Amino acid sequence: MNQMTLKELYEVGCSFEASVGTGTKSERARIPKNSSRIILNDELTNNIINFNKEVKFLVAGEIWCPDYQLNGSILKKFMDLNTNFDMSVITMARGKKYLEPILNIESAKYPLIVVLDKDFNIIGNFQERPNAVKMAESFDDIKLDYYKGKYLIDSANDIWNIIKNI
């Protein structure tokens, strides 16, 4: 099979919990730590809770990747707040082989999160890190804060800005 549809990729993926389960003990331990650091403001929380359309997150990522650990935790938070959100995780290899051509992206940054509507239409995508981190003059200067979860709200806002356009 040389290509797969978004629906087929979604169906062969696994849940966030299953993907976390493939990690080492220390990788798995970062997820509850990240989750405890997610503090959404009231407006964003209410927007997520009250969103009444189905959204599917097709994520190409791996548990060993700190960016996946952080941003996967954000998606899990969306799902915890509203059952209209769902996620399927595929490997980065599948992302490179199948998703990049579908999205017409060469050398995507991972995790690659594709936001889909209920019919598997692409709404937008999020690559690797939030815009606030990408725009920093020097990643080295903010790296520690980023890995400690200080930019989780930025990831949540960037993802919400894609979703709200459905």
Side-chain angles (χ1 to χ4, degrees):
M1 182 185 300
N2 288 335
Q3 39 185 169
M4 293 179 77
T5 66
L6 290 167
K7 185 174 190 226
E8 289 169 331
L9 286 167
Y10 198 85
E11 289 171 351
V12 299
C14 66
S15 68
F16 180 64
E17 293 80 4
S19 74
V20 169
T22 66
T24 65
K25 186 176 180 181
S26 68
E27 290 164 349
R28 291 190 314 268
R30 288 191 197 110
I31 301 306
K33 190 178 288 184
N34 290 338
S35 297
S36 71
R37 294 174 171 160
I38 299 171
I39 299 163
L40 306 178
N41 63 40
D42 290 344
E43 181 183 358
L44 181 56
T45 301
N46 288 330
N47 285 338
I48 294 167
I49 289 170
N50 294 313
F51 196 73
N52 65 358
K53 296 178 184 166
E54 284 182 45
V55 174
K56 299 175 184 311
F57 299 117
L58 177 57
V59 182
E62 312 273 348
I63 188 59
W64 53 260
C65 172
D67 297 301
Y68 174 78
Q69 295 164 8
L70 289 163
N71 296 307
S73 297
I74 288 287
L75 299 179
K76 175 71 169 96
K77 178 74 170 182
F78 277 54
M79 293 187 315
D80 289 346
L81 290 171
N82 186 329
T83 57
N84 283 325
F85 296 103
D86 193 38
M87 177 182 354
S88 180
V89 181
I90 60 173
T91 62
M92 286 171 49
R94 277 199 170 123
K96 288 179 191 302
K97 185 172 183 177
Y98 301 112
L99 262 187
E100 287 183 18
I102 290 171
L103 298 171
N104 201 21
I105 297 174
E106 271 187 50
S107 304
K109 301 285 188 190
Y110 290 83
L112 174 56
I113 301 167
V114 183
V115 181
L116 305 165
D117 69 13
K118 66 181 174 64
D119 299 315
F120 296 94
N121 296 305
I122 299 168
I123 307 308
N125 71 74
F126 174 100
Q127 293 185 50
E128 188 181 33
R129 298 181 179 137
N131 289 324
V133 172
K134 292 176 187 173
M135 294 173 15
E137 273 188 47
S138 165
F139 180 67
D140 285 340
D141 291 346
I142 64 165
K143 182 170 31 180
L144 194 55
D145 283 343
Y146 173 68
Y147 290 130
K148 284 185 173 181
K150 295 203 171 134
Y151 289 87
L152 287 166
I153 187 65
D154 296 289
S155 291
N157 283 322
D158 287 359
I159 293 164
W160 174 250
N161 284 333
I162 296 168
I163 293 166
K164 72 181 184 183
N165 294 320
I166 295 179

